[in-house]
Structures are given as structure tokens and as C-alpha cells.
């Protein structure tokens, strides 16, 4: 089974530009539809599927709302801090490449690299879709009234694990992480 290729960080604000979606009005608890021009994709056949009526992702609004509220500091007091773990990305084999370039000075004690991702399909989420949506929802809410959320920082960086798997391996990873 392939291992993680690399890790990086992504800011909340940048993540919100990579994941483009719309919220549909519905009595349904799953209102999120990924737009076709989104860099970040969710394969409904690998993740939780689609609502047959609305074609929205089966990503529960309540989970997304909980993450958003904790990040914005408007939690009900039960959870004061978000322990989100890594975000998980997959740059699918045969549709993308990962290129690493050393950017640290020669005399540095630490090696620092820049990772570039080139993909024809986009970046898929084999896991962490609720976290992605919750972060984006927090950025959207914050941008409406920044003064209301003084503890939220749109430049906060989240760790990302990047895989380079084919769709079948991506499904296996989803099942393993959600078992």
C-alpha cells in the first residue's frame, strides 16, 4: 500500500479558495454541492455518496456547523477547542504530479522544501470532508463580520497529508480511516 508522499500546511483562507461549493436550500441535512471548477473534489462513490433527490454530498450539515462554530469561538461551551487532525488530500496517479524543490539556504541546519502540485483532475479528499467544509464555512462567516470573531485567524494553517493513489487505493484509504 503506498505511503504518504508528503505533508504541508494550508491556511484556512487558501483552503476556502481551493474548495468551491454551493449550499442548496433543502429540508435535507446534507446541503453541500461541490462546484465543477473546484480544485478540491470529493468522489461521491468513494466518500459517503449523494442524496438521490438533491444530488448533494452526504456530508452532514451538523458536523460542519460544529467545526465552524468551534473555530469561530461560538461553541456552546462543551467544546472550546477544535482538534481537527490532518486534512487528507489525494493527487490521483495518472492525473497529477508532486514536485519537491529545496528552498532552504545551503548553510541552514534545517531543510525546507516547497511542494508543487500539478493535476488535471483536481485534488480529491479520501477523508476529512467535514473538516474542509467546516473550515471554509468559518472563513465565509468570518469575512462577513471579522470584528464578531476576534479569536479566528483566516491565516491559521492546518496540516495536510498528501497521498498519490489511484481511485481504488483512495477507496481503501477512506475505508481504513473511517473504520
Amino acid at each position: 500500500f503506498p505511503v504518504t508522499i508528503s505533508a504541508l500546511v494550508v491556511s484556512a483562507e487558501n483552503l476556502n479558495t481551493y474548495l468551491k461549493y454551493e449550499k442548496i436550500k433543502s429540508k435535507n441535512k446534507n446541503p453541500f454541492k461541490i462546484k465543477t471548477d473546484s480544485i478540491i473534489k470529493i468522489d461521491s462513490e468513494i466518500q459517503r455518496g449523494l442524496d438521490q433527490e438533491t444530488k448533494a454530498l452526504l456530508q452532514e450539515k451538523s458536523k460542519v456547523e460544529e467545526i465552524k462554530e468551534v473555530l469561530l469561538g461560538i461553541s456552546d461551551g462543551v467544546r472550546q477547542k477544535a482538534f481537527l487532525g490532518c486534512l487528507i488530500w489525494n493527487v490521483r496517479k495518472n492525473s497529477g504530479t508532486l514536485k519537491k524543490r529545496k528552498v532552504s539556504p545551503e548553510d541552514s541546519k534545517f531543510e525546507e522544501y516547497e511542494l508543487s502540485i500539478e493535476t488535471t483532475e483536481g485534488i480529491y479528499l479520501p477523508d476529512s470532508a467535514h473538516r474542509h467544509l467546516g473550515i471554509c464555512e468559518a472563513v465565509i462567516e468570518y469575512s462577513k463580520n471579522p470584528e464578531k470573531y476576534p479569536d479566528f485567524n483566516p491565516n491559521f494553517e492546518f496540516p495536510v497529508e498528501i497521498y498519490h493513489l489511484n481511485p481504488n487505493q483512495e477507496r481503501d484509504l477512506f475505508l481504513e480511516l473511517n473504520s
Side-chain angles (χ1 to χ4, degrees), residues 14-52:
N14 284 341
L15 184 64
N16 191 51
T17 64
Y18 304 153
L19 178 57
K20 297 180 182 176
Y21 60 95
E22 62 182 311
K23 287 171 61 173
I24 57 172
K25 294 195 187 286
S26 170
K27 297 175 198 160
N28 188 314
K29 64 180 182 175
N30 311 305
F32 304 100
K33 288 178 91 171
I34 303 297
K35 293 183 176 181
T36 57
D37 63 338
S38 181
I39 293 170
I40 294 178
K41 314 273 186 194
I42 299 173
D43 188 329
S44 62
E45 293 189 23
I46 291 175
Q47 281 263 350
R48 293 172 166 84
L50 291 175
D51 179 280
Q52 295 306 308

Side-chain angles (χ1 to χ4, degrees), residues 46-96:
I46 291 175
Q47 281 263 350
R48 293 172 166 84
L50 291 175
D51 179 280
Q52 295 306 308
E53 181 185 325
T54 64
K55 303 301 182 206
L57 295 167
L58 294 179
Q59 301 294 328
E60 291 184 36
K61 181 181 178 184
S62 63
K63 288 183 181 181
V64 173
E65 287 291 312
E66 179 183 348
I67 292 166
K68 175 188 89 171
E69 290 173 3
V70 170
L71 288 171
L72 291 173
I74 54 175
S75 166
D76 61 5
V78 176
R79 285 190 54 204
Q80 297 292 325
K81 184 168 177 57
F83 297 98
L84 299 180
C86 284
L87 303 177
I88 309 294
W89 292 2
N90 185 34
V91 178
R92 287 185 173 170
K93 286 187 174 182
N94 302 322
S95 73

Side-chain angles (χ1 to χ4, degrees), residues 3-178:
V3 297
T4 302
I5 296 294
S6 192
L8 64 97
V9 293
V10 63
S11 72
E13 198 166 51
N14 284 341
L15 184 64
N16 191 51
T17 64
Y18 304 153
L19 178 57
K20 297 180 182 176
Y21 60 95
E22 62 182 311
K23 287 171 61 173
I24 57 172
K25 294 195 187 286
S26 170
K27 297 175 198 160
N28 188 314
K29 64 180 182 175
N30 311 305
F32 304 100
K33 288 178 91 171
I34 303 297
K35 293 183 176 181
T36 57
D37 63 338
S38 181
I39 293 170
I40 294 178
K41 314 273 186 194
I42 299 173
D43 188 329
S44 62
E45 293 189 23
I46 291 175
Q47 281 263 350
R48 293 172 166 84
L50 291 175
D51 179 280
Q52 295 306 308
E53 181 185 325
T54 64
K55 303 301 182 206
L57 295 167
L58 294 179
Q59 301 294 328
E60 291 184 36
K61 181 181 178 184
S62 63
K63 288 183 181 181
V64 173
E65 287 291 312
E66 179 183 348
I67 292 166
K68 175 188 89 171
E69 290 173 3
V70 170
L71 288 171
L72 291 173
I74 54 175
S75 166
D76 61 5
V78 176
R79 285 190 54 204
Q80 297 292 325
K81 184 168 177 57
F83 297 98
L84 299 180
C86 284
L87 303 177
I88 309 294
W89 292 2
N90 185 34
V91 178
R92 287 185 173 170
K93 286 187 174 182
N94 302 322
S95 73
T97 58
L98 303 169
K99 295 180 182 176
K100 182 171 74 171
R101 181 176 70 88
K102 187 175 180 180
V103 295
S104 55
E106 287 299 320
D107 60 345
S108 174
K109 289 174 34 178
F110 302 100
E111 292 185 356
E112 186 176 343
Y113 293 88
E114 177 181 88
L115 183 67
S116 65
I117 299 171
E118 296 176 11
T119 176
T120 56
E121 283 187 28
I123 298 168
Y124 285 85
L125 303 182
D127 192 46
S128 67
H130 288 107
R131 285 174 266 169
H132 280 77
L133 290 163
I135 293 165
C136 291
E137 285 290 292
V139 170
I140 291 165
E141 188 68 26
Y142 171 83
S143 66
K144 293 175 188 174
N145 188 357
E147 296 79 27
K148 187 174 177 181
Y149 310 105
D151 294 333
F152 183 74
N153 179 355
N155 295 312
F156 184 81
E157 294 178 329
F158 296 88
V160 180
E161 282 185 22
I162 301 176
Y163 291 82
H164 198 51
L165 308 171
N166 66 38
N168 288 330
Q169 294 165 324
E170 184 178 315
R171 179 178 285 105
D172 290 343
L173 179 61
F174 172 77
L175 293 172
E176 181 178 316
L177 293 172
N178 287 275

